[in-house]
Amino acid sequence: MALFPSTDRMKRYMRAMNAENMKEWKIELTYRVDFIRGMLEPLIFVFPYVLFAMSLMGGRTSSVLEELTGVSDGVTYTIIGYIFMGFLNTAVWGMGFALRKEQWYGTLESIFVMPVPRWVYVMGMALHSTVHQGIILFFQIAVVYVLFGVILNVQGVLPVLILVALMLISLVGLGLMVSGLALIFKEGWIVSEVLYSLITIVTPIAYPLAVLPPLLQKLSKAMPTTYAITGIRHFLIAENMEFPLWDAYSRLIVIGVCWVIMGLVIFHIVDRRVRREGTLAEY
Amino acid sequence: MFWAIFPILWVIPFIFQGEALVGGMNSPEFGELAGTERFVPFVLIGAIVSTYLFSSLYGMGGSIRMESYWGTLEYILGSPARKISVLMGKALSESISSTLFVATQMVICIFGFGLTLAVGKILPILLTMLLLVAGLYGMAIALAGVTLQIKESRSLVHTIEYLFYLFSPIRYPVGIHPLIASVSVIIPLTYALIAIRGVWLLNQPINALWRNIGILAVLDVVFIAFGYSIFYFMEKKVRKSGAVSQY
């Protein structure tokens, strides 16, 4: 068997991914009120972090933050971190819960007997979640620009897109892992919530790496979100990075490859196990 | 285990954020708004008390939804028991489990984060929490009624949770913005948190907090009456439309 699928087969996989993506869009757009709520909710989620920062600083600037990062505007610093962390949501909730939703609809078995590998289905869900989160991100940037007057360096947009793309590779791996684990644990929301909470704590979203205790700093350096968020802030608001830029790119690539391989392996093992045990369709 | 531990872990990013912004665990600017410069105990108490919010928002509506999923909702609503007894039973079960979570969180905060709590303060804090629980479960009864009608209320509840976080002093003092301060006056959590922090953090005597406790008690009556009316109305509507058994 060839290591990589043929061009023809890849085309079929891409068609299946797109079909999954379109199916999700159709379901989402059927419930329009819920769709609008879903667009507004991530914005409301960011406000408490911003207001907390403002209540501590008594305004929007901090000399301590400037000393640590070179950025004095604590509001912009916090907002950038949290809106780009939204992509973590897509991995642990959007992708991770894809299979659980199909179990609930009662369509999981039908999808699993399709003539494409199961990971193709999860990748289709990843495509949908990424586009969805991308739209939310642009909406959030527009709103915070109006509300908080957040000024970003437009020239940094291209490298930021590269960093987001590299982070997404790792998050796809994480999504594969979570969706596999959801097949075993059934009530997989705990897996998603635990992973989301722990990654959020060790990622320097609204603070630099330097304020984390040494052990958490080490953990943080194994997270793709650390390099992506710090890099994104470096390009958009000139944050001083604690590691060279080349390190951010190279580590994102290495972590991405490792997490995707790990995700595929875990997903494959779980898929085989639930089929053998006959628990695939159990809700 | 999750609900006993994670609400406290969610506070950790705020602690790191505070350290990065003010270079320590005290902020004079925060003190002007909150009455205490120590923001860590402030957010920890917010996290502990908000456990009751999670429980009331997700517990009641969720349990009605689960009865519907199990196919037992019709039997419960058709039983000769008064609806208020059924709802109180569900609220009691939720509040007992939440109290266990809160007790665990208090222990974590005392031993893990160095929060201190004098024995003499426990009773006034418990009294305030009791009043808070009554108000929140009034709202939860309304949500249970809404769940009967719209079935899948989880998304709505999620949004309400975010709004509560935004408009009540769980993470920051509401005086940070006039709009937030004006919306917060209709939320029971606001008065409960002011009273609990007043006793716990600011060492205020309970008689200095009677005004907040009085408003909380009035809000309890309003929320319970409103919640039960909504439930009664929705239940009648759902029975008439024959949609009780629909999932």
Side-chain angles (χ1 to χ4, degrees):
Chain A
M1 205 174 96
L3 186 61
F4 294 105
S6 65
T7 320
D8 190 43
R9 186 172 288 188
M10 271 312 285
K11 273 186 192 164
R12 277 199 291 130
Y13 289 177
M14 300 289 258
R15 269 214 311 276
M17 280 181 210
N18 191 45
E20 176 54 33
N21 169 36
M22 295 310 289
K23 182 201 83 182
E24 271 306 306
W25 276 114
K26 280 180 184 167
I27 293 174
E28 273 193 353
L29 292 172
T30 304
Y31 303 98
R32 287 195 189 129
V33 176
D34 210 36
F35 180 75
I36 294 167
R37 184 200 58 79
M39 296 292 283
L40 293 173
E41 208 178 72
L43 194 66
I44 302 171
F45 173 78
V46 176
F47 285 150
Y49 295 95
V50 177
L51 292 165
F52 174 72
M54 287 172 78
S55 65
L56 287 180
M57 297 183 293
R60 63 182 294 164
T61 56
S62 155
S63 54
V64 179
L65 186 71
E66 189 173 17
E67 229 171 84
L68 286 167
T69 66
V71 179
S72 63
D73 184 350
V75 169
T76 305
Y77 190 89
T78 304
I79 288 174
I80 298 294
Y82 275 102
I83 62 177
F84 278 92
M85 268 305 271
F87 283 105
L88 180 64
N89 258 331
T90 66
V92 294
W93 290 109
M95 289 172 62
F97 255 56
L99 298 179
R100 183 77 179 141
K101 269 201 303 193
E102 297 296 345
Q103 264 182 340
W104 189 69
Y105 298 147
T107 46
L108 187 65
E109 279 178 305
S110 320
I111 283 170
F112 269 31
V113 293
M114 283 196 314
V116 286
R118 255 76 66 193
W119 59 263
V120 169
Y121 168 77
V122 182
M123 294 297 283
M125 203 63 199
L127 178 64
H128 165 77
S129 303
T130 306
V131 176
H132 187 124
Q133 187 59 36
I135 295 170
I136 290 176
L137 183 89
F138 281 109
F139 174 66
Q140 281 180 310
I141 289 176
V143 174
V144 295
Y145 173 75
V146 174
L147 287 183
F148 296 101
V150 169
I151 307 288
L152 307 175
N153 175 18
V154 184
Q155 283 176 326
V157 170
L158 191 65
V160 163
L161 289 176
I162 296 170
L163 284 167
V164 169
L166 291 175
M167 174 173 72
L168 281 172
I169 295 172
S170 311
L171 295 181
V172 164
L174 181 70
L176 280 164
M177 260 183 271
V178 176
S179 57
L181 293 173
L183 285 179
I184 295 183
F185 294 112
K186 306 295 178 194
E187 281 295 346
W189 68 269
I190 291 193
V191 179
S192 297
E193 195 68 75
V194 168
L195 281 172
Y196 180 82
S197 302
L198 296 180
I199 294 175
T200 303
I201 291 170
V202 298
T203 300
I205 308 173
Y207 37 86
L209 206 55
V211 300
L212 290 174
L215 178 69
L216 290 187
Q217 281 194 26
K218 278 182 190 158
L219 271 174
S220 182
K221 285 178 179 168
M223 297 295 152
T225 43
T226 298
Y227 302 101
I229 297 295
T230 314
I232 287 167
R233 271 198 304 249
H234 171 72
F235 284 112
L236 293 182
I237 53 171
E239 176 181 3
N240 298 331
M241 291 171 72
E242 290 169 51
F243 35 80
L245 194 57
W246 171 244
D247 258 24
Y249 285 118
S250 57
R251 287 187 191 190
L252 270 172
I253 293 168
V254 172
I255 295 171
V257 171
C258 292
W259 281 30
V260 168
I261 292 172
M262 210 158 73
L264 283 168
V265 169
I266 290 177
F267 188 80
H268 182 70
I269 292 170
V270 172
D271 178 36
R272 277 184 59 170
R273 188 182 140 179
V274 292
R275 279 161 166 265
R276 201 170 46 227
E277 290 174 351
T279 56
L280 182 61
E282 278 178 16
Y283 184 73
Chain B
M1 278 292 282
F2 179 84
W3 290 113
I5 295 169
F6 273 76
I8 297 300
L9 288 188
W10 294 332
V11 168
I12 293 174
F14 287 94
I15 299 174
F16 292 140
Q17 188 184 6
E19 201 179 335
L21 294 174
V22 296
M25 297 297 154
N26 293 297
S27 158
E29 288 79 7
F30 192 82
E32 275 173 34
L33 289 166
T36 173
E37 294 186 3
R38 294 156 59 218
F39 61 85
V40 177
F42 184 96
V43 286
L44 283 173
I45 292 172
I48 291 171
V49 176
S50 64
T51 298
Y52 286 113
L53 174 69
F54 286 127
S55 148
S56 63
L57 284 176
Y58 290 99
M60 289 281 274
S63 71
I64 291 284
R65 188 79 177 132
M66 285 316 287
E67 298 286 359
S68 170
Y69 180 72
W70 293 328
T72 47
L73 185 63
E74 273 178 304
Y75 299 106
I76 287 175
L77 292 181
S79 76
R82 294 176 66 193
K83 302 297 165 294
I84 191 73
S85 314
V86 175
L87 293 170
M88 291 305 285
K90 286 193 178 297
L92 186 66
S93 133
E94 286 294 331
S95 51
I96 289 172
S97 55
S98 309
T99 304
L100 289 175
F101 298 150
V102 163
T104 315
Q105 288 164 7
M106 280 180 162
V107 171
I108 294 172
C109 288
I110 289 167
F111 291 103
F113 293 89
L115 209 66
T116 51
L117 176 62
V119 179
K121 293 178 180 176
I122 293 175
L123 197 65
I125 289 172
L126 281 180
L127 170 75
T128 316
M129 281 188 180
L130 200 68
L131 285 171
L132 171 69
V133 168
L136 288 178
Y137 283 111
M139 183 188 67
I141 289 170
L143 279 173
V146 173
T147 305
L148 281 177
Q149 174 66 29
I150 67 168
K151 311 293 177 193
E152 193 53 67
S153 62
R154 207 172 168 80
S155 319
L156 172 73
V157 167
H158 212 50
T159 305
I160 294 174
E161 179 204 330
Y162 280 14
L163 291 174
F164 266 90
Y165 266 95
L166 184 61
F167 291 112
S168 51
I170 299 174
R171 305 289 198 213
Y172 46 80
V174 286
I176 187 71
H177 196 278
L179 176 70
I180 290 170
S182 49
V183 177
S184 73
V185 296
I186 55 162
I187 300 175
L189 206 56
T190 304
Y191 302 99
L193 279 167
I194 291 171
I196 291 170
R197 285 190 183 119
V199 173
W200 196 341
L201 276 186
L202 309 176
N203 298 316
Q204 289 174 342
I206 192 80
N207 54 5
L209 298 160
W210 276 125
R211 189 179 155 269
N212 287 302
I213 291 172
I215 297 172
L216 183 59
V218 172
L219 280 178
D220 281 355
V221 175
V222 173
F223 270 61
I224 291 170
F226 173 75
Y228 191 66
S229 313
I230 293 279
F231 184 85
Y232 183 75
F233 172 75
M234 290 295 186
E235 196 228 347
K236 257 180 88 171
K237 198 175 166 193
V238 172
R239 273 169 180 258
K240 208 182 288 177
S241 65
V244 176
S245 62
Q246 281 174 11
Y247 185 73

